[in-house]
């Protein structure tokens, strides 16, 4: 590990307990910064309501840390929108945001569009499939941004159990993202959960970043933020344990392909030889190929979008 990264681990890696809530609140009041919480959601009616309710109860009603909580529904066919609204979120449907640009499927697409329907100086993203959620996830990762003006992006770090095995979640992280980062961006080797969906950043940084539309968004954001603000502007906070729905192996393969593609673009910005992935499933006549397109599109920095610029002027 680079000496720079070792120093970073001592100076930019914290526990949520290092910043008590009263200290975070005092910093928010002193600086006047506002905080938006965004949940990208697709068919998450079983979990999204509990997350929204916890944030609203603990961080909006009991203490004034969060100024708005927005669920961006990317086309759910279940009761996600209804449950989220009943729990106290403002629900916005992906396709109603920036309609002149047709929406494409993908988590990064939703996060990118969320910048147009939120107003916080700090934007905190939380996945909508978390179970046994604690509002400490939000206060923990928002805390450094409110108390330290030199921090621009904070990732949550946590244990990710798989079944009954501790620490065995995050398979794509260990098999794809961590090797890529260690080999090509060794300054980022200290991040425990580089692909984690719980992180917060200053709006001024987010609006300068391109957003891969799919699963590559977290890796792309981390690499691009490193180039914009340097390692010293990045941090991570231990928020405990993250429990969520795990995907099957083939879904993880497609996720890994999208992440590799994101890395490839940032390494060379060159021609994609074959932006597709073929996997195999056993059928009646043996193994059958299934070919999936790998996300190749990225959204430009939001600062370049006319509607966003007009909103800031207004």
């Amino acid at each position: 590990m680079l000496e720079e990264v070792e120093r970073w681990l001592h100076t930019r890696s914290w526990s949520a307990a290092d910043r008590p809530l009263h200290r975070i609140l005092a910093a928010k009041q002193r600086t006047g910064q506002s905080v938006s919480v965004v949940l990208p959601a697709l068919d998450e009616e079983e979990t999204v309501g509990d997350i929204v309710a916890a944030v609203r109860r603990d961080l909006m009603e009991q203490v004034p840390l969060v100024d708005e909580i927005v669920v961006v529904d990317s086309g759910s066919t279940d009761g996600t929108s209804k449950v989220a609204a009943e729990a106290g979120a403002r629900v916005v449907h992906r396709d109603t945001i920036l309609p002149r640009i047709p929406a494409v499927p993908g988590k990064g697409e939703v996060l990118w569009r969320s910048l147009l329907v939120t107003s916080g100086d700090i934007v905190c993203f939380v996945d909508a499939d978390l179970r046994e959620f604690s509002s400490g996830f939000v206060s923990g990762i928002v805390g450094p941004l409110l108390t330290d003006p030199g921090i621009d992006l904070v990732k949550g770090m946590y244990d990710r159990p798989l079944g009954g095995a501790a620490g065995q979640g995050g398979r794509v992280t260990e098999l794809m993202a961590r090797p890529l980062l260690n080999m090509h961006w060794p300054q980022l080797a200290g991040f425990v959960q580089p692909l984690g969906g719980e992180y917060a950043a200053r709006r001024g940084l987010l609006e300068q970043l391109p957003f891969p539309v799919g699963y590559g968004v977290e890796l792309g954001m981390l690499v691009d933020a490193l180039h914009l603000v340097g390692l010293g502007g990045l941090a991570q906070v231990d928020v405990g344990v993250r429990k969520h729905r795990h995907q099957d192996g083939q879904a993880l393969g497609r996720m890994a392909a999208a992440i590799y593609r994101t890395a490839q673009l940032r390494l060379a910005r060159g021609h994609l030889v074959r932006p597709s992935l073929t996997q195999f499933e056993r059928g009646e006549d043996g193994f059958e190929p299934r070919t999936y397109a790998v996300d190749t599109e990225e959204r430009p920095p939001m600062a370049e979008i006319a509607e966003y610029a007009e909103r800031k002027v207004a």
Side-chain angles (χ1 to χ4, degrees):
M1 183 177 289
L2 298 176
E3 290 186 10
E4 179 185 6
V5 177
E6 292 182 354
R7 291 194 298 271
W8 179 85
L9 283 169
H10 289 291
T11 61
R12 289 291 187 265
S13 294
W14 299 291
S15 166
D18 292 337
R19 289 175 175 79
L21 189 56
H22 67 83
R23 180 184 167 196
I24 298 171
L25 284 169
K28 175 179 166 65
Q29 293 169 356
R30 183 176 66 254
T31 62
Q33 298 175 92
S34 55
V35 177
S36 300
V37 173
V38 172
L39 278 71
L42 177 62
D43 294 330
E44 303 294 356
E45 67 176 356
E46 293 185 6
T47 51
V48 68
D50 290 341
I51 299 171
V52 170
V55 173
R56 186 164 192 86
R57 179 188 65 244
D58 298 344
L59 303 179
M60 296 181 78
E61 296 172 355
Q62 293 184 5
V63 297
L65 180 64
V66 172
D67 297 280
E68 63 176 350
I69 179 166
V70 178
V71 170
V72 182
D73 191 327
S74 59
S76 298
T77 58
D78 65 1
T80 291
S81 290
K82 181 175 183 293
V83 169
E86 289 176 347
R90 176 163 60 91
V91 178
V92 184
H93 293 272
R94 177 198 62 195
D95 295 351
T96 66
I97 307 170
L98 200 61
R100 73 172 176 86
I101 300 178
V104 297
K107 179 184 179 183
E109 178 83 351
V110 174
L111 300 184
W112 182 71
R113 290 175 187 263
S114 75
L115 297 181
L116 265 167
V117 293
T118 54
S119 59
D121 302 304
I122 294 168
V123 182
C124 176
F125 298 118
V126 177
D127 282 349
D129 65 342
L130 301 190
R131 303 180 185 279
E132 301 179 26
F133 175 80
S134 165
S135 60
F137 269 60
V138 173
S139 57
I141 59 181
V142 165
L145 292 162
L146 288 169
T147 58
D148 188 337
I151 301 296
D152 290 280
L153 184 148
V154 180
K155 296 282 293 190
M157 58 176 168
Y158 29 65
D159 294 314
R160 295 182 66 182
L162 177 62
Q168 294 302 305
R171 290 162 287 173
V172 175
T173 292
E174 300 305 327
L175 297 174
M176 176 59 72
R178 198 176 308 286
L180 281 171
L181 293 175
N182 275 263
M183 287 187 290
H184 299 297
W185 296 281
Q187 286 179 295
L188 299 175
F191 278 93
V192 175
Q193 297 291 352
L195 301 185
E198 287 67 51
Y199 50 98
R202 300 192 190 281
R203 178 174 293 272
L205 172 62
L206 292 172
E207 65 187 16
Q208 297 180 66
L209 298 176
F211 276 61
V213 298
Y215 285 122
V217 63
E218 273 84 22
L219 184 134
M221 187 178 296
L222 203 55
V223 170
D224 294 340
L226 174 67
H227 290 300
L228 276 176
V229 302
L231 185 59
L234 312 179
Q236 60 184 350
V237 172
D238 187 348
V239 291
V241 179
R242 183 187 197 266
K243 296 182 180 180
H244 66 113
R245 182 187 68 254
H246 292 282
Q247 301 193 55
D248 63 34
Q250 292 208 332
L252 295 179
R254 297 190 290 274
M255 184 184 301
I259 290 165
Y260 179 76
R261 190 277 317 176
T262 299
Q264 180 191 42
L265 284 179
R266 278 152 181 78
L267 285 168
R269 295 290 174 183
H271 175 65
L272 289 174
V273 177
R274 188 172 181 269
S276 62
L277 175 72
T278 298
Q279 298 176 318
F280 294 87
E281 299 176 8
R282 184 181 289 278
E284 294 181 359
D285 300 320
F287 286 103
E288 300 174 354
R290 299 283 188 272
T291 299
Y292 301 88
V294 174
D295 295 323
T296 58
E297 187 170 357
E298 295 194 5
R299 295 305 190 189
M302 186 57 78
E304 298 177 6
I305 300 298
E307 289 89 337
Y308 188 78
E310 291 169 0
R311 192 194 73 163
K312 291 185 72 174
V313 170

